[in-house]
Amino acid sequence: MRRHFAIISSMPKRSSAATLADIALHAQVHKTTASRALDPERRHMVSPEVVGRVEAAARALNYRVNRAASALRTGRSGTVGVLLPDITNPVFPPILRGIEQALAAEGFFVLVADTGNEQAPDQAADRMLAQRVEGLIIATSSLHDPLVERLVRDQVKVVLVNRRDEDGSLPAVVSDDMLGMKLAVDHLVSIGHRRIAHLSGPLALSTGSLRQAGFRQAMAAHGLEPAGFAECDAYSCDAGEDGTRRLLDSEAEFTAIVAANDLIALGAIQALQAQGRKVPQDVSVVGHNDMPLMDRVSPPLTTVRILHYEMGFRAARLLLDSLRGVPGTTSTVVLRPELVVRGSSAPL
Amino acid sequence: MRRHFAIISSMPKRSSAATLADIALHAQVHKTTASRALDPERRHMVSPEVVGRVEAAARALNYRVNRAASALRTGRSGTVGVLLPDITNPVFPPILRGIEQALAAEGFFVLVADTGNEQAPDQAADRMLAQRVEGLIIATSSLHDPLVERLVRDQVKVVLVNRRDEDGSLPAVVSDDMLGMKLAVDHLVSIGHRRIAHLSGPLALSTGSLRQAGFRQAMAAHGLEPAGFAECDAYSCDAGEDGTRRLLDSEAEFTAIVAANDLIALGAIQALQAQGRKVPQDVSVVGHNDMPLMDRVSPPLTTVRILHYEMGFRAARLLLDSLRGVPGTTSTVVLRPELVVRGSSAPL
DNA sequence: ATGAAAGCGCTAACAT
DNA sequence: ATGTTAGCGCTTTCAT
């Protein structure tokens, strides 16, 4: 096309974007030389004077390398895919931000798929692989995830974030879920609670399963039995309300609830108040995650703070290292959570 | 490479990903035919029987089209860039989700850049253009945005979301900011308030500017003068606290505040309470956006609900139409907000 | 230090 | 309905 126009007349500028050939022409060098001059990694092979000419030409023609072409040639697309279950869940934005900033610093881009309900993560992953992403960061995985297993079989570079696989064989960046629950239980015990119930997340997820195990272990360490238990089928307020109603119906007696997640905790508070039980006077509630705004809900939520941003950032770094063949990138990074005491828990 | 291996020995399967040539070989057709058979748009040119053979081969070899190659050939990358100022601001996740789902439905991918503080949106946009995104959805633009002007000059397809440009010449999907403020003011007036102050957002942004104008206009319609005004330099709790302190220092007398945004409203409540003023008994506060969790903060926030998800969804649709050359895609879509009355506002 | 040639994998245009 | 040819724009050999 452009060539065609060029023959007809000297076009005003470019009918489409400038290419290396244009730069080469303008700077009076071969396009190979132009390519080298514009790449910091290979610039040293070119005389400073030529580098100057090429850069000037690139600026004059508003040149931008065509990543589709270089991706085809080199096999590197400069993109990484991120699979999220639901970006509107407040846990994920800071994770995504950490991922994005770690990758942007190295010139990589993030392709995001919010796999939500309708669209299966499998499809999203396949489309991403067609886009030739160099690796995948997955926040959607369950303990036994067929998708993840398939990806690993296909030798796709994968890092899990916020979730881990059953046998811990995949690189993952997570918070110490067992420790988090211990912090919550220890806090409640220290202010006098003995009858403590647990609202778990989905047990098919590592977070749900590990936090439940952490709860039981922490209780046992104090010589206590769980005073009640209900599994919530999602990390949402609704699921928390529902789980709490089941807990109340079971006629379990408890003075405190440890929830697997802040949203579940908010649902629990809602359900308790609907039954006339005051939080924290009648029942203390502790969440997990310390999502944004948890200091401003009513009552302000006592919770376990997780380093979301850092989780995303380190997951991205782990993937970058793995792409560059740095050894030891199969390791799992476990971040240390901390307790944040607010108004939803009170001495018995 | 692969060719090389193939000569040495019959490799176990593929040393790298299968290509069209592999499929063609396997299905005993020319690769052009294979290409046609795998593309729904061109499948009709191929006999059903051959389509079957090709599809079987593709499945057997786990074939995925190389988008880098097809992007180079067709000039279409199947990606769209999204520029966000801060994904951790709760306004943006639902917008991003709407964008993502509208685009995914058409086989497009989203490249996200969180331009935050450090990295200029300009750089992100340039890198995206190098990636050959087919268009850009921008949520970061100010009223006079040099970046947007440059992009338009370069004929980049751009849609603004949640923000608009000064003269409304660019396609944009926004909420009716003036109407939103009228809803807030009318509500307060209807429950007896007369002395109403405004905490605006940054006036360089269309939302800040239009909401301020909407506030003044709505007040004037009731024959009222603004009882006080402060510009907040960001849409954040901190900026809201700061603005409220300035309002209080100015010794303006008011019984209600209309904030340009929920986070600013939360900051205002914080600052008022710190001065011993109760919300809503002493001062009513109305927010804007109805971010997630605004029904659970203390007191539950009266606010103006914006259709964030739909805003993102329609912005993406607008861009898709524009990419396909549908006429009339320069139009601006204005969505209708609605008032949500909760506990932060009360009769005088 | 620079240039020439080749080809990544795909699809559009042109045969047959 | 299928095949042939060519080339998108880049970077990696391999010369010079």
Side-chain angles (χ1 to χ4, degrees):
Chain A
M1 286 301 173
R2 5 205 325 282
R3 227 163 292 284
H4 187 56
F5 283 130
I7 291 163
I8 292 172
S9 73
S10 62
M11 289 301 283
K13 208 81 268 177
R14 318 151 281 112
S15 69
S16 64
T19 71
L20 263 188
D22 300 327
I23 308 288
L25 207 67
H26 193 280
Q28 315 246 54
V29 291
H30 193 267
K31 60 180 178 150
T32 304
T33 308
S35 171
R36 290 198 266 249
L38 293 172
D39 179 359
E41 309 271 279
R42 290 177 297 151
R43 219 201 295 291
H44 66 274
M45 304 170 151
V46 178
S47 74
E49 188 237 319
V50 169
V51 170
R53 275 216 318 276
V54 171
E55 280 183 333
R59 227 169 304 118
L61 302 181
N62 197 21
Y63 173 76
R64 269 185 284 265
V65 63
N66 185 331
R67 296 294 264 117
S70 75
L72 177 59
R73 178 67 238 238
T74 64
R76 275 170 279 117
S77 65
T79 62
V80 162
V82 176
L83 259 35
L84 300 174
D86 177 8
I87 182 66
T88 62
N89 179 330
V91 174
F92 295 109
I95 293 179
L96 178 59
R97 184 163 227 237
I99 292 173
E100 203 272 335
Q101 297 193 346
L103 290 175
E106 303 286 328
F108 276 76
F109 263 115
V110 182
L111 287 179
V112 189
D114 184 314
T115 60
N117 330 320
E118 73 254 59
Q119 191 195 26
D122 294 63
Q123 283 174 39
D126 276 334
R127 290 175 51 227
M128 284 182 167
L129 292 175
Q131 288 280 356
R132 292 304 188 265
V133 294
E134 296 185 39
L136 244 26
I137 297 178
I138 301 183
T140 55
S141 66
S142 52
L143 276 171
H144 289 288
D145 199 317
L147 165 64
V148 173
E149 281 166 20
R150 202 190 83 207
L151 292 171
V152 171
R153 237 189 354 264
D154 288 355
Q155 312 216 32
V156 178
K157 302 276 187 181
V158 171
V159 172
L160 305 183
V161 67
N162 194 36
R163 304 271 177 86
R164 55 198 302 178
D165 62 323
E166 177 94 86
D167 52 2
S169 63
L170 279 171
V173 180
V174 295
S175 177
D176 190 332
D177 290 312
M178 303 270 289
L179 173 59
M181 295 313 275
K182 178 171 151 52
L183 294 176
V185 169
D186 287 0
H187 163 63
L188 289 169
V189 169
S190 78
I191 56 177
H193 293 272
R194 292 294 175 271
R195 300 177 161 280
I196 307 174
H198 179 47
L199 284 173
S200 85
L203 296 177
L205 304 181
S206 68
T207 46
S209 163
L210 287 173
R211 286 174 195 170
Q212 185 216 205
F215 172 77
R216 292 186 189 280
Q217 183 175 307
M219 290 292 280
H222 289 287
L224 299 173
E225 285 289 316
F229 169 75
E231 178 183 355
C232 301
D233 58 5
Y235 285 121
S236 67
C237 286
D238 287 349
E241 277 188 58
D242 184 61
T244 307
R245 277 193 295 265
R246 276 182 281 131
L247 212 51
L248 292 167
D249 290 346
S250 74
E251 294 177 14
E253 283 187 36
F254 52 85
T255 63
I257 295 179
V258 175
N261 161 287
D262 291 340
L263 291 171
I264 289 177
L266 292 182
I269 291 171
Q270 184 101 329
L272 288 166
Q273 287 172 343
Q275 296 254 339
R277 303 232 206 166
K278 293 206 172 87
V279 177
Q281 294 85 342
D282 302 332
V283 182
S284 286
V285 174
V286 179
H288 202 110
N289 279 7
D290 195 24
M291 293 176 352
L293 300 176
M294 289 305 103
D295 54 336
R296 297 184 127 94
V297 298
S298 171
L301 193 70
T302 294
T303 187
V304 176
R305 177 176 297 159
I306 282 181
L307 304 176
H308 294 100
Y309 177 87
E310 189 171 28
M311 210 148 76
F313 194 91
R314 301 207 44 183
R317 294 289 334 164
L318 209 54
L319 184 60
L320 286 168
D321 287 348
S322 147
L323 292 179
R324 282 164 189 161
V326 177
T329 51
T330 345
S331 56
T332 290
V333 176
V334 180
L335 301 177
R336 212 182 165 73
E338 64 182 88
L339 183 73
V340 182
V341 178
R342 299 202 185 98
S344 68
S345 61
L348 195 55
Chain B
M1 284 302 171
R2 1 204 330 279
R3 226 162 293 282
H4 186 58
F5 283 130
I7 290 164
I8 294 172
S9 73
S10 61
M11 289 301 284
K13 207 84 269 174
R14 319 150 280 114
S15 68
S16 63
T19 71
L20 262 188
D22 300 326
I23 309 285
L25 208 65
H26 193 281
Q28 315 247 56
V29 291
H30 194 269
K31 61 180 177 150
T32 303
T33 308
S35 171
R36 291 198 267 251
L38 292 172
D39 179 359
E41 309 270 282
R42 291 177 296 151
R43 218 200 296 292
H44 67 273
M45 304 170 150
V46 179
S47 74
E49 188 237 317
V50 169
V51 169
R53 276 216 317 277
V54 171
E55 280 183 332
R59 226 168 305 117
L61 301 180
N62 196 22
Y63 174 76
R64 269 184 284 265
V65 63
N66 185 331
R67 297 294 263 114
S70 76
L72 177 57
R73 178 66 239 239
T74 64
R76 275 170 280 118
S77 65
T79 60
V80 162
V82 177
L83 259 35
L84 299 174
D86 177 8
I87 183 65
T88 62
N89 179 330
V91 174
F92 295 109
I95 293 179
L96 179 58
R97 185 160 225 238
I99 292 173
E100 204 273 334
Q101 297 194 346
L103 290 174
E106 303 286 327
F108 275 76
F109 263 116
V110 181
L111 288 179
V112 189
D114 184 315
T115 60
N117 331 319
E118 73 254 56
Q119 192 194 23
D122 294 64
Q123 283 174 39
D126 276 334
R127 288 176 53 228
M128 284 182 167
L129 292 174
Q131 288 279 356
R132 293 306 188 264
V133 294
E134 296 186 37
L136 245 26
I137 297 177
I138 301 182
T140 55
S141 66
S142 52
L143 276 171
H144 290 289
D145 199 316
L147 166 64
V148 173
E149 281 166 19
R150 200 189 84 207
L151 292 172
V152 171
R153 240 192 347 267
D154 288 356
Q155 312 215 32
V156 178
K157 303 274 187 184
V158 170
V159 172
L160 305 182
V161 66
N162 194 37
R163 305 271 178 87
R164 55 198 303 180
D165 62 324
E166 176 94 87
D167 51 3
S169 63
L170 279 171
V173 180
V174 294
S175 178
D176 190 333
D177 290 313
M178 304 269 289
L179 173 60
M181 296 312 275
K182 178 172 150 51
L183 294 175
V185 169
D186 287 0
H187 162 65
L188 289 169
V189 169
S190 78
I191 56 177
H193 292 273
R194 293 294 175 271
R195 301 178 160 279
I196 307 174
H198 179 48
L199 285 172
S200 84
L203 296 177
L205 305 181
S206 69
T207 47
S209 163
L210 287 173
R211 287 173 194 171
Q212 187 218 202
F215 171 78
R216 291 187 190 281
Q217 184 176 306
M219 290 292 280
H222 290 286
L224 299 173
E225 284 290 314
F229 169 76
E231 177 183 355
C232 301
D233 58 6
Y235 285 121
S236 68
C237 287
D238 286 350
E241 277 188 59
D242 184 59
T244 306
R245 276 193 293 266
R246 275 181 283 130
L247 211 51
L248 292 166
D249 289 347
S250 74
E251 293 177 16
E253 282 187 36
F254 51 86
T255 64
I257 295 178
V258 175
N261 160 287
D262 290 341
L263 291 171
I264 290 177
L266 293 181
I269 291 171
Q270 183 101 330
L272 288 167
Q273 287 171 343
Q275 296 254 339
R277 303 232 206 165
K278 292 206 172 88
V279 178
Q281 294 85 342
D282 302 333
V283 182
S284 286
V285 174
V286 179
H288 202 110
N289 279 8
D290 195 23
M291 293 176 353
L293 299 176
M294 288 306 103
D295 54 335
R296 296 185 129 98
V297 298
S298 171
L301 194 69
T302 294
T303 187
V304 175
R305 178 176 297 159
I306 283 182
L307 304 176
H308 295 101
Y309 176 86
E310 189 171 29
M311 208 147 80
F313 195 91
R314 302 209 41 185
R317 294 289 332 164
L318 208 56
L319 184 60
L320 286 168
D321 288 347
S322 146
L323 292 179
R324 281 162 190 163
V326 176
T329 50
T330 343
S331 57
T332 290
V333 176
V334 179
L335 301 176
R336 213 183 163 72
E338 63 183 89
L339 182 74
V340 181
V341 178
R342 300 201 184 98
S344 67
S345 61
L348 196 55

